[in-house]
Amino acid sequence: MWTDTTRRQFARSGLRLPSDLTDAEWEVLEPLFPARSHRGRPPVWSYRQIVEALLYLLRGGLPWRMPPPDLFPPMTTVQHYFYRWRDIGLWRSINHTLLMAVREAAGREASPSAGLLPSAKR
């Protein structure tokens, strides 16, 4: 149930778009991303801008070519990083880290000690 406290705590006011990350959310995610390479041309787009473009596409269920060009990096840049991060297992790592944090916040052990699998036998 929403209370005045939880409304303030989870408010998304002040964001450019509802799919954007709050500063607190980005602080949790930022350390999980790989360090930028110091070789070659300096990056034009921050990881946060790329992640927010991905969240915009996911939230709206939009195809790659639909993000507004004046708000987000080029579609090819977003797509490149998405696939690169997928290939190095970053999305799996983020999911696992967030799952452990939620379990600890709920007062449980970060990793379950046992699991139940349904049996096909009757």
Side-chain angles (χ1 to χ4, degrees), residues 21 23 92:
L21 295 166
D23 291 337
R92 186 176 301 214

Side-chain angles (χ1 to χ4, degrees), residues 48-68:
R48 183 173 181 168
Q49 291 170 304
I50 294 165
V51 170
E52 287 180 346
L54 287 168
L55 292 173
Y56 176 81
L57 292 171
L58 290 170
R59 177 84 185 259
L62 301 171
W64 284 115
R65 296 195 181 276
M66 291 297 289

Side-chain angles (χ1 to χ4, degrees), residues 19-38:
S19 60
D20 285 352
L21 295 166
T22 64
D23 291 337
E25 291 166 341
W26 181 244
E27 284 178 23
V28 171
L29 291 176
E30 186 177 24
L32 303 174
F33 284 86
R36 291 274 193 172
S37 173
H38 295 292

Side-chain angles (χ1 to χ4, degrees), residues 4-122:
D4 290 338
T5 303
T6 56
R7 276 188 216 289
R8 278 191 302 278
Q9 180 182 359
F10 295 104
R12 302 198 65 76
S13 59
L15 297 176
R16 185 179 52 157
L17 297 167
S19 60
D20 285 352
L21 295 166
T22 64
D23 291 337
E25 291 166 341
W26 181 244
E27 284 178 23
V28 171
L29 291 176
E30 186 177 24
L32 303 174
F33 284 86
R36 291 274 193 172
S37 173
H38 295 292
R39 296 183 307 176
R41 195 175 76 183
V44 175
W45 304 98
S46 70
Y47 281 166
R48 183 173 181 168
Q49 291 170 304
I50 294 165
V51 170
E52 287 180 346
L54 287 168
L55 292 173
Y56 176 81
L57 292 171
L58 290 170
R59 177 84 185 259
L62 301 171
W64 284 115
R65 296 195 181 276
M66 291 297 289
D70 55 331
L71 293 179
F72 297 112
M75 175 271 308
T76 54
T77 301
V78 175
Q79 197 174 39
H80 164 79
Y81 278 98
F82 173 79
Y83 289 129
R84 183 168 144 210
W85 292 338
R86 179 202 60 190
D87 294 344
I88 65 170
L90 180 66
W91 299 122
R92 186 176 301 214
S93 174
I94 288 172
N95 186 53
H96 182 71
T97 302
L98 294 177
L99 176 63
M100 289 190 316
V102 168
R103 288 183 58 86
E104 287 176 343
R108 301 164 71 185
E109 282 190 42
S111 295
S113 57
L116 297 175
L117 297 174
S119 173
K121 288 185 176 182
R122 289 195 183 224

